[in-house]
Amino acid sequence: MIVIVDERELVTNGYNSLFNREGVASAGFASSEFSDWVSSAPEDDLRSVRAFLIGECSSEFVCPRRIRDRSTAPVIALSEQHSLENTLRLFESGVDDVVRKPVHIREILARISAISRRAQDEKPFSEFGALRIFMDGRDPEIEGTPLPLPRRERRILEFLAANAGRRVTKNQVFNAIYGIFDEDVEENVVESHISKLRRKLRERLGFDPIDSKRFLGYRLVA
């Protein structure tokens, strides 16, 4: 999930729409709302956040270093002032990157992936046996051949790969894919997506790489 902070509801709604077209869940906040949320949100909700995008907002309520106290997700400033002084000020505030608007939504996603890889010293993909999973929106590959997947199934696979080595619950998967504030979608839809994903992977790999335990959740295995 991507969190956007901007005082202008028109801006947060616009980004929500653009991310939704890419199959990426997002949530928008005004400054004061965000301050209350980030200081009190459960750990599971914060682990679902892929990045924070900071637009026009009050520094009194939104401090990148304060965000870092609760999350390791990248913090990216969206700047409408194309000046060196403003860019330096934003970096000094503690953001990981400054993006000048207008910017294509896919560039933002690419920057998020690049920052995350650098922070974790990761390759641009994860491998589980013959399965290679990319984190930039490309379809996964099995022995070098792409496996076309619907956006939600691909995002679930990416989320499982990003959390390799530990189990994630159905609720965590839902929050990452649909966002923590989407009340129009039933949480059980995750089971349907994962069932379809497992069937496709099993057909191509010859085994099921998604290990599931009741009450404990899911994890990828080689």
Side-chain angles (χ1 to χ4, degrees):
M1 181 180 71
I2 308 295
V3 169
I4 308 110
V5 187
D6 198 293
E7 299 294 0
R8 300 160 295 181
E9 186 176 358
L10 184 63
V11 172
T12 55
N13 287 344
Y15 276 109
N16 286 338
S17 177
L18 291 170
F19 279 119
N20 185 60
R21 291 180 191 174
E22 297 297 322
V24 177
S26 61
F29 292 91
S31 299
S32 59
E33 295 173 333
F34 174 76
S35 178
D36 292 340
W37 176 78
V38 78
S39 62
S40 61
E43 291 293 333
D44 275 359
D45 287 357
L46 288 171
R47 276 198 292 267
S48 301
V49 177
R50 187 175 171 188
F52 298 90
L53 302 184
I54 311 300
E56 183 179 296
C57 55
S58 169
S59 58
E60 175 187 356
F61 294 107
V62 182
C63 173
R65 291 189 174 87
R66 192 178 303 163
I67 296 171
R68 187 72 64 239
D69 289 340
R70 297 221 60 203
S71 174
T72 59
V75 180
I76 298 177
L78 301 173
S79 176
E80 298 179 14
Q81 301 178 36
H82 297 183
S83 69
L84 175 61
E85 291 77 9
N86 182 63
T87 299
L88 293 177
R89 178 184 62 80
L90 290 170
F91 275 119
E92 288 171 359
S93 73
V95 301
D96 297 298
D97 197 5
V98 177
V99 177
R100 292 183 176 182
K101 298 172 63 178
V103 58
H104 197 285
I105 209 73
R106 291 184 182 174
E107 180 179 335
I108 294 175
L109 293 173
R111 287 174 179 268
I112 292 170
S113 295
I115 294 170
S116 298
R117 288 199 305 272
R118 288 199 299 269
Q120 301 174 33
D121 193 25
E122 290 182 346
K123 296 181 291 186
F125 56 82
S126 297
E127 289 185 307
F128 296 83
L131 175 63
R132 176 174 289 185
I133 302 166
F134 300 94
M135 301 298 175
D136 57 5
R138 283 181 284 171
D139 283 318
E141 295 179 354
I142 296 177
E143 295 182 341
T145 302
L147 172 65
L149 292 174
R151 291 178 304 177
R152 304 297 185 193
E153 292 176 27
R154 188 181 70 240
R155 284 291 299 120
I156 289 173
L157 190 60
E158 291 172 356
F159 184 68
L160 292 176
N163 288 276
R166 65 173 182 263
R167 291 189 183 276
V168 293
T169 65
K170 181 172 67 174
N171 183 63
Q172 288 174 318
V173 175
F174 180 88
N175 288 347
I177 307 307
Y178 286 99
I180 60 176
F181 301 108
D182 196 332
E183 298 178 351
D184 297 327
V185 181
E186 293 290 336
E187 189 176 298
N188 287 336
V189 74
V190 168
E191 294 179 357
S192 175
H193 286 317
I194 291 181
S195 176
K196 294 174 183 176
L197 175 61
R198 295 174 83 167
R199 185 177 66 250
K200 294 171 185 175
L201 292 172
R202 190 184 304 114
E203 289 175 353
R204 289 283 297 272
L205 290 168
F207 70 97
D208 185 356
I210 300 179
D211 178 56
S212 63
K213 297 289 185 183
R214 192 177 184 187
F215 304 124
L216 296 179
Y218 309 91
R219 68 171 179 170
L220 274 176
V221 295

